[in-house]
């Protein structure tokens, strides 16, 4: 039940998080900005349209949106939000999680190269350059956290962080700050998603929103694990955990 509630919350919150970010950016720039529900409206509008693909499109381009959405959904299912010990907790390994997030970044880049247009090629090159710089740093962060905690399981790491057992504290804070910095430096997928249209674009945008939400939730759970409920806490503890998760996300 907790795992199903978690998935529902993540699927509902992913477009809202994008809307909140866009509106905040607009307000900081002195503009009114779009409504918070605008990403949901865009997805509904795009789902009604027929996708248009390049003549030389291979099965890679046709199946990339579905594969990205599946990988992003699995990634957000592995990152705990309001409680620990959910059904997928034994599978919530940092290496698995980062592999899924990297797949969501690389697959659209490969698909964007097929039409042969300059903007898509430049966006794919930026994505590849970021991977060359960031992925080794991510592996070092996983190694540091694994050495500190004796495991790379995300649920166990968060539990140890809540109990203050990730020692030495300075190394844990440095690893968490590095992870947060790498999350903030994730490349914008706007140049890659421009090669999709219609329902394909809606699926890719939802997958991108889920990928960004997985990063935000991961940083919040590792650095600010306040309010997270235990599995045996009951519905009241779950409700408190959902409120704390919303505060962390905002």
């Amino acid at each position: 039940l907790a795992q199903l509630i978690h998935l529902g919350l993540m699927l509902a919150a992913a477009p809202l998080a994008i809307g909140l970010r866009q509106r905040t950016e607009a307000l900081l720039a002195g503009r009114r900005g779009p409504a918070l529900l605008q990403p949901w409206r865009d997805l509904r509008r795009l789902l009604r349209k027929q996708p248009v693909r390049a003549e030389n499109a291979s099965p890679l381009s046709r199946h990339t949106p579905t594969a990205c959405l599946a990988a992003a959904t699995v990634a957000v299912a592995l990152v705990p939000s309001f409680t620990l010990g959910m059904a997928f907790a034994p599978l919530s390994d940092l290496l698995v999680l980062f592999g899924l997030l990297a797949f969501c970044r690389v697959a659209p880049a490969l698909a964007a190269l097929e039409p042969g247009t300059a903007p898509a090629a430049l966006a794919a090159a930026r994505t590849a350059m970021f991977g060359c710089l960031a992925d080794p740093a991510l592996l070092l962060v996983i190694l540091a956290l694994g050495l500190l905690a004796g495991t790379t399981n995300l649920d166990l790491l968060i539990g140890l962080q809540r109990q203050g057992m990730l020692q030495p504290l300075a190394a844990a804070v440095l690893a968490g700050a590095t992870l947060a910095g790498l999350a903030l430096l994730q490349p914008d997928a706007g140049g890659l998603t421009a090669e999709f249209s219609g329902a394909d674009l809606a699926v890719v945008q939802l997958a991108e929103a889920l990928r960004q939400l997985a990063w935000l939730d991961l940083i919040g759970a590792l650095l600010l694990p306040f309010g997270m409920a235990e599995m045996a806490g009951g519905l009241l503890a779950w409700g408190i955990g959902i409120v704390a998760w919303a505060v962390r996300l905002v």
Side-chain angles (χ1 to χ4, degrees):
L1 178 60
Q3 188 72 66
L4 291 176
I5 295 174
H6 166 76
L7 275 174
L9 287 173
M10 300 295 271
L11 290 172
L16 289 177
I18 297 296
L20 179 62
R21 189 198 68 186
Q22 292 174 347
R23 188 169 180 83
T24 304
E25 290 176 348
L27 291 175
L28 291 176
R31 296 181 283 108
R32 181 177 180 181
L36 292 179
L37 294 178
Q38 189 60 44
W40 269 116
R41 297 169 184 163
D42 294 339
L43 290 176
R44 184 178 61 182
R45 174 177 53 83
L46 289 171
L47 284 172
R48 299 172 180 172
K49 295 185 177 182
Q50 188 74 15
V52 178
R53 302 185 181 97
E55 294 182 357
N56 59 340
S58 69
L60 174 66
S61 294
R62 291 195 296 270
H63 299 304
T64 290
T66 306
C68 287
L69 181 59
T73 304
V74 175
V76 296
L78 295 179
V79 182
S81 57
F82 65 93
T83 183
L84 298 175
M86 293 185 294
F88 294 162
L91 307 176
S92 181
D93 189 271
L94 284 178
L95 288 172
V96 175
L97 181 62
F98 288 151
L100 291 168
L101 295 175
F103 176 84
C104 295
R105 187 184 73 237
V106 172
L110 293 176
L113 291 174
E114 288 199 343
T117 59
L122 291 174
R126 287 195 299 270
T127 301
M129 182 180 66
F130 173 84
C132 292
L133 298 174
D135 289 347
L138 284 174
L139 291 176
L140 285 176
V141 171
I142 295 175
L143 176 62
L145 291 174
L147 290 175
L148 289 173
T151 179
T152 54
N153 183 274
L154 184 57
D155 245 49
L156 296 178
L157 278 169
I158 295 172
L160 293 174
Q161 176 76 342
R162 292 179 62 193
Q163 299 169 16
M165 297 178 63
L166 279 183
Q167 300 295 333
L169 182 59
V173 171
L174 180 60
T178 304
L179 193 62
L182 291 171
L184 293 174
L185 291 174
Q186 290 290 311
D188 186 12
L192 300 179
T193 58
E195 297 301 320
F196 299 95
S197 63
D200 285 351
L201 179 57
V203 173
V204 171
Q205 286 183 350
L206 180 57
E208 176 64 17
L210 288 171
R211 185 181 73 89
Q212 294 185 22
L213 182 61
W215 273 109
L216 292 174
D217 201 19
L218 175 65
I219 299 304
L222 276 177
L223 297 184
L224 300 169
F226 63 87
M228 297 188 73
E230 297 293 341
M231 184 50 58
L235 294 179
L236 179 60
W238 290 5
I240 296 174
I242 290 174
V243 173
W245 168 74
V247 171
R248 285 197 307 270
L249 181 60
V250 172

